[in-house]
Amino acid sequence: MYHQQKYALPLQKYGNYSNEEYSMDNRRVFQQRGRNYTWHKFDRKDYNFEHTGAPYAVGLNKKKRRWNDDDRTFLSAWDDRKHKESKMSYNAQNGTRESWFKVTIPSGRNYDKTWLMNSIMSICSVPFTPVDFHYDKNQARFFVQDASTASALKDASLKICDEENQKIIIFVRPSIVPYSVKSYFTPKQMEQIKLTMMKRYDVSQKSLDLRKFRFDRDLMSCDIDMMLNRRCCMNATLQIIQSNIPELLSLNLCNNKLYQLDGLSEVVEKAPQVKILNLSKNKLRSVSELEKVKELKLEELWLEGNPLCRTFQNESAYASAIRDQFPTLIRLDGKELLSQTVMNNENPQLRKESYKEPEIIRDLVVQFLKEYYSIYDSGDRHGLLSAYHDEACFSLTIPFNSCDSDLSNLEEYFKHNRDLIKLKDSYTRMKLLKHTNRAIVDSLSTLPKTQHDFYSFWVDMSLCTEVMLCFSVNGVFKEVEGKYQGCVRAFTRTFVTVPKSSSSMYIINDKMILRNSSPREIQKPFIPLPTVSPSLPKSTLSEKHQEMVKSFSEQSGMKLEYSQKCLDDNEWDYTKASKIFSILQTDGKIPKEFFK
Amino acid sequence: MSMSVDFKTYVDQACRAAEEFVNIYYETMDKRRHAITRLYLDKASLIWNGNAVTGMEGLKKFFDMLPSSEFQVNILDCQPVHEQATQAQTTILVVTSGTVKFDGNKQHFFNQNFLLTAQSTPNSTVWKIASDCFRFQDWAGH
């Protein structure tokens, strides 16, 4: 009878594994089939790859096994027909290339498979996918691919305890390529597969559509079972791609019952140009599967319809996890991903144009801020009285855990610090909220003298209605006198204003957040506004000085008031002033607004 | 609220509302992000690091795309806004600062300010966001 015979393969010993777990349909084993019939095609129904009983099932009858000393291979009783087919389909080249290891757990059958595999995976320092898990008498067995996994598994031996507190032993030995991985297509079959694939290849788009590949008519009529979840099928596919269309750009593997992407990991070598990958409607359970192909520089990825999509709380967690694997990704499931620049905001360029408010409003705000800060920096803040509404409010807060840990140099400001999280006392809360313009201006006058870097301000326009404007100014200023002279502070100041006239406004709320600036913020040079009070009448200048201002203005191209300032700053020494002007001008430090 | 109400009461009310609101807002941002748009008025505007987002649809889409967050608020302050600016809709200005870590990104310091408007129902007063301005502090100086 067939099952009594033993066979040795010409090139390499052939292994077969028994699997009593799966029931065998006896009749199939002995059914007449064509020479090219591939053994494991039982039916076209739902067949989870892991449970294809066929390769490991042996005929009804006894199996005889003999192991080699080094447990490298073993022979077994084998169905005659099956052997012949395997002989024909065996591909020595593919079989010997990878280094495989067989992992054996004695008494493995006693444990629930999921528990066992999960326990091993959690102890094992290297993540792995077990290949061809099966039972052999009482032992559980599976294969893993590389040496590092193998040694990690060896280390896991005796580290897991079962319910009876027995330590679980794990044996690891080198082995031949597992059955499922070996290529078993004949050259003729490979040719047919190649033809079928080429029919599905669009040259203009460089895209290959392997959707539902198993059910392709051509393949089915030739009895070729392309279950892409299988290593061997995927290997064959990738091989064909590599030899014929290595320039492939887009690969569609939708609806191929892919449970894992181990087989696809070689796509990086075999089809390195792939930028569009469709893995939708498969059975991928975790994002970690994608790690196997993460070297691909994907621009577009489809994953919808996989169980892994449901493991995320929301769409953004999903998108962010996928993007972690593929930083170059532009589209996920057909939708554009939120550009990273929104998160990184590396190039804000927003300044005063951060909100699409009408130009008029923007100009109004800029003008207001200029006037406000020139008085603020002038040394006498009482000039701000008219800027505030009678019933305006002002308060100041210093963030507790700001960038710098040393807040002692902000001591002048701390006495005004109003923070509702730390301050619970109603009386103090009231006291620290300055109410009425007089109280505010008095309070501001007690703060150290400053010089703001006006041209570096960022303004965000939060709200703009007919009766109110709300905007926030972010910027830096320098202390110009006192104990902390030279210290640079960063602030965010939120103003709520109401219109006073068509071109001016009252501040009704003024809220400042103040901290020490970071080193980055200090780097840029300061260009302060002229702190000459705008109300300084020109008539106080002598005729001589007026003449100087006029000619300086003509020569430099700067407006009169700025020419005046430049001269004034340089003690009305015309030569000195022009020298300073040229230096600043060459360095590009003079803002455009200063010029006519 | 009419201005006949004592200013102090006004301030107290604002403080309480601010504290309550901030707790709800950041918890919703971290743990129930899908519900965050309920805290905004229909016509609310958001400026997020200089990017303007308006309208309920825009807000929904934006918050959906924003990765999951872990906020830590360090300071909080608020001021009542005078009715002259608000056409008699009780409004408060709330300002917060702290740190935030978005999934997949490093931690940032942030400053945020809100204008909250009271919407009175027969049973209670609900505060909703009329404007929201958020900025990371790490590049405030370019």
Side-chain angles (χ1 to χ4, degrees), chain A residues 315-316 320 338 342-345 350 354-355 389 391 393-395 397-401 418-422 424 426 429-430 433 435 456 458 460-463 467-468 470 472 474 492 494 498 508-511 513 515 520-521 524, chain B residues 3 7-8 11-12 15 19 45 47-52 54 64-68 73-82 84-85 87 93 95-97 102-103 105 109 111 113 115 130-131 133 135-142:
Chain A
E315 222 184 283
S316 62
S320 149
L338 185 68
V342 174
M343 281 306 299
N344 299 334
N345 221 330
L350 294 163
S354 58
Y355 190 71
H389 187 276
E391 304 207 49
C393 291
F394 166 76
S395 64
T397 315
I398 299 168
F400 193 69
N401 292 321
R418 184 175 191 250
D419 170 12
L420 301 181
I421 292 182
K422 291 174 204 76
K424 299 294 182 190
S426 174
R429 283 179 173 186
M430 267 310 288
L433 178 65
H435 187 220
S456 68
W458 300 81
D460 286 326
M461 187 68 108
S462 302
L463 198 61
V467 293
M468 175 244 266
C470 176
S472 299
N474 294 272
T492 302
T494 307
V498 291
I508 211 165
N509 289 90
D510 177 357
K511 169 76 217 147
I513 299 181
R515 57 179 172 85
R520 252 179 98 191
E521 287 163 325
K524 275 218 154 184
Chain B
M3 278 317 285
F7 181 66
K8 182 172 188 315
V11 171
D12 283 342
C15 290
E19 285 172 308
S45 65
I47 314 267
W48 200 88
N49 283 311
N51 298 288
T54 46
D64 219 30
M65 289 305 263
L66 207 57
S68 55
V73 178
N74 292 329
I75 57 142
L76 161 67
D77 195 11
C78 76
Q79 295 175 2
V81 177
H82 194 279
Q84 188 170 337
Q87 293 173 311
L93 171 67
V95 161
T96 60
S97 174
F102 287 104
D103 200 26
N105 291 269
F109 288 99
N111 286 355
N113 65 66
L115 277 175
S131 84
C133 178
R135 232 178 218 285
F136 288 158
Q137 287 301 293
D138 312 274
W139 59 62
H142 22 259

Side-chain angles (χ1 to χ4, degrees), chain A residues 61-75:
Chain A
N61 312 304
K62 285 115 220 148
K63 347 137 203 58
K64 264 197 183 179
R65 258 170 267 105
R66 193 194 294 163
W67 278 260
N68 249 350
D69 284 338
D70 61 356
D71 208 23
R72 189 168 269 278
T73 60
F74 53 90
L75 312 167

Side-chain angles (χ1 to χ4, degrees), chain A residues 4 38 40 160-161 179 186 202 231 262 278 283-284 297 310 349 353 384 406 441 452 493 512 527 530 540 557 591:
Chain A
Q4 294 294 347
T38 47
H40 6 274
I160 308 171
C161 281
Y179 189 91
T186 65
D202 177 345
R231 292 295 283 257
D262 292 45
N278 188 334
K283 306 275 183 188
L284 300 170
K297 301 242 178 345
R310 284 175 246 134
Q349 279 175 347
E353 293 93 44
L384 294 172
D406 178 22
V441 165
H452 282 75
R493 201 148 174 186
M512 177 141 79
I527 311 255
T540 59

Side-chain angles (χ1 to χ4, degrees), chain A residues 330-355:
Chain A
I330 299 175
R331 267 180 297 281
L332 176 62
D333 292 335
K335 282 183 279 190
E336 301 260 339
L337 285 176
L338 185 68
S339 153
Q340 273 290 55
T341 59
V342 174
M343 281 306 299
N344 299 334
N345 221 330
E346 276 150 1
N347 204 11
Q349 279 175 347
L350 294 163
R351 302 219 169 199
K352 297 153 191 86
E353 293 93 44
S354 58
Y355 190 71

